[in-house]
């Protein structure tokens, strides 16, 4: 029974399949994941940041410092473009539509989705379609994947300060991994399969926080915010990747999926500014729908772009 082989046939399957299975379990029997530790700590959002920290460290060990300039070039362009796009359209959204937004999409939902990046799915896809430089970009992408980015945008729109400590906290495990991997090649070899092992656990922790019923009850507004995400973020990123980096666009597309971690943004934003509080529940439902939809569609977009890129390189 080749379960692993079947899962790997699905683009990003090592993360997506556990995420969807966990979402089904959480929807039908939510008490299962709350039975207590270590089950709760291992399979729910309670352990998400631990898993992300471990993947950051592991991916750092695989980053050869001699390849750091090209890694920064690729990932830096993607990250900078993502942040600028989110900041530009996020501010415009608030100025035009206010906190309440339009068509049932609040500012907190829009900005949380627009800024979201799922490095776990990115890594799963790059393990299949990318090279070692693409894979090393995982650590850098995590700088824009933490909820601090959308909260910073929302806070700045309401006059609240920026938390730089969260950015530093994301860098530390990655930098430790880089140091260890470059000081000792044996450490690099030991941790080489680590990301593949950790991805299913990360997917499960994302899925255990998704209620499919709640997500699909907001299907219309959730679909609209996802379409806006694709138009305002995915398409420009692919064009930037092709125009500036002369790449096929698959790595840029892989950064454009909504992460389950983004579902904590509405509550965090409301904690800083009570004006966002009335929109927390609806925003979480819309983000959950966007997580599901982008997790299904983005891998196939990446697969198609990677196939085209391979054909183009072969032709040249």
């Amino acid at each position: 029974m080749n379960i692993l082989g079947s899962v790997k046939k699905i683009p990003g399957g090592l993360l997506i399949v556990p995420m969807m299975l966990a979402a089904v379990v959480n929807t039908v029997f939510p008490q299962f994941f709350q039975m207590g530790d270590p089950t709760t700590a291992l399979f729910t959002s309670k352990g998400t940041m631990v898993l992300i920290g471990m993947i950051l460290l592991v991916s750092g060990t695989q980053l050869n410092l001699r390849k750091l300039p090209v890694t920064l070039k690729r990932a830096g362009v993607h990250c900078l473009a993502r942040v600028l796009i989110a900041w530009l359209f996020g501010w415009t959204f608030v100025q035009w539509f206010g906190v309440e937004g339009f068509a049932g999409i609040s500012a907190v939902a829009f900005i949380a989705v627009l800024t979201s990046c799922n490095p776990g799915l990115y890594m799963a896809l790059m393990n299949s379609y990318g090279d070692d430089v693409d894979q090393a970009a995982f650590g850098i992408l995590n700088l824009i994947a933490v909820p601090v980015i959308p909260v910073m945008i929302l806070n700045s729109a309401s006059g609240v300060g920026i938390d730089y400590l969260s950015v530093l906290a994301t860098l530390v495990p990655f930098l430790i991994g880089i140091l260890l991997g470059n000081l000792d090649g044996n450490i690099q070899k030991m941790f080489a399969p680590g990301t593949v092992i950790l991805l299913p656990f990360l997917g499960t922790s994302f899925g255990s926080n998704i209620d499919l019923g709640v997500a699909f009850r907001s299907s219309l507004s959730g679909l609209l915010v996802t379409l806006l995400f694709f138009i305002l973020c995915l398409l420009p990123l692919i064009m930037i990747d092709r125009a500036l980096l002369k790449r096929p666009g698959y790595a840029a597309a892989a950064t454009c999926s909504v992460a389950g971690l983004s579902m904590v943004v509405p509550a965090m934003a409301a904690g800083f500014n009570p004006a966002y509080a009335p929109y927390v529940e609806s925003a979480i439902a819309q983000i959950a729908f966007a997580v599901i939809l982008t997790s299904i569609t983005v891998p196939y977009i990446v697969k198609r772009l990677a196939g085209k890129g391979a054909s183009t390189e072969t032709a040249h």
Side-chain angles (χ1 to χ4, degrees):
M1 191 176 191
N2 191 3
I3 297 175
L4 182 60
S6 300
V7 169
K8 284 186 173 181
K9 288 180 181 178
I10 301 170
L14 285 174
L15 182 128
I16 292 173
V17 172
M19 184 185 82
M20 295 307 296
L21 289 174
V24 171
V25 172
N26 185 57
T27 302
V28 177
F29 185 33
Q31 295 83 4
F32 175 80
F33 289 116
Q34 304 302 326
M35 65 174 64
D37 295 331
T39 298
T40 302
L42 181 61
F43 293 122
T44 68
S45 58
K46 186 177 179 180
T48 298
M49 294 310 296
V50 174
L51 290 166
I52 289 175
M54 291 173 68
I55 293 178
L56 278 168
L57 192 147
V58 169
S59 64
T61 64
Q62 304 307 301
L63 177 57
N64 189 323
L65 284 177
R66 286 174 295 181
K67 294 182 179 179
L68 183 59
V70 68
T71 302
L72 287 173
K73 180 182 177 182
R74 289 192 204 174
V77 169
H78 294 158
C79 290
L80 183 60
R82 285 297 310 271
V83 172
L84 289 177
I85 287 171
W87 216 292
L88 173 63
F89 288 111
W91 265 84
T92 302
F93 187 95
V94 173
Q95 296 304 312
W96 285 5
F97 305 111
V99 173
E100 68 277 7
F102 77 101
I105 302 172
S106 63
V108 68
F110 177 79
I111 292 175
V113 169
L114 194 63
T115 55
S116 189
C117 172
N118 188 344
L121 181 57
Y122 172 89
M123 180 59 84
L125 292 168
M126 291 306 100
N127 279 337
S128 299
Y129 305 112
D131 56 25
D132 54 349
V133 176
D134 292 322
Q135 293 168 17
F138 172 86
I140 300 171
L141 284 175
N142 271 275
L143 292 175
I144 65 168
V146 291
V148 67
I149 298 295
V151 172
M152 281 166 57
I153 295 174
L154 289 162
N155 285 355
S156 62
S158 59
V160 182
I162 296 173
D163 182 10
Y164 294 102
L165 188 61
S166 296
V167 178
L168 178 62
T170 301
L171 273 173
V172 168
F174 187 54
L175 293 175
I176 291 174
I178 293 174
L179 179 65
L180 292 174
N182 283 274
L183 285 176
D184 187 349
N186 291 319
I187 292 178
Q188 188 178 66
K189 292 177 183 177
M190 181 182 76
F191 281 108
T195 300
V196 175
I197 294 170
L198 291 169
L199 281 175
F201 294 98
L202 187 61
T204 304
S205 72
F206 286 156
S208 65
N209 202 38
I210 296 174
D211 186 319
L212 294 175
V214 172
F216 284 102
R217 278 199 295 273
S218 65
S219 56
L220 289 178
S221 57
L223 176 60
L224 178 57
V225 76
T226 305
L227 289 175
L228 290 172
F229 174 69
F230 283 153
I231 293 169
L232 300 177
C233 191
L234 177 67
L235 293 179
L237 257 290
I238 293 173
M239 290 189 288
I240 289 170
D241 196 47
R242 289 179 171 178
L244 294 183
L245 300 177
K246 309 301 180 185
R247 300 284 298 168
Y250 64 82
T255 69
C256 296
S257 63
V258 181
L261 193 60
S262 297
M263 287 187 285
V264 307
V265 171
M268 287 178 63
F272 284 106
N273 188 343
Y276 299 119
Y279 310 101
V280 169
E281 187 175 342
S282 61
I284 290 174
Q286 290 160 5
I287 295 167
F289 187 86
V291 170
I292 296 167
L293 195 56
T294 57
S295 295
I296 294 171
T297 56
V298 167
Y300 287 96
I301 294 172
V302 170
K303 181 180 180 180
R304 186 173 180 82
L305 290 172
K308 284 184 178 180
S311 301
T312 302
E313 289 172 8
T314 303
H316 287 298

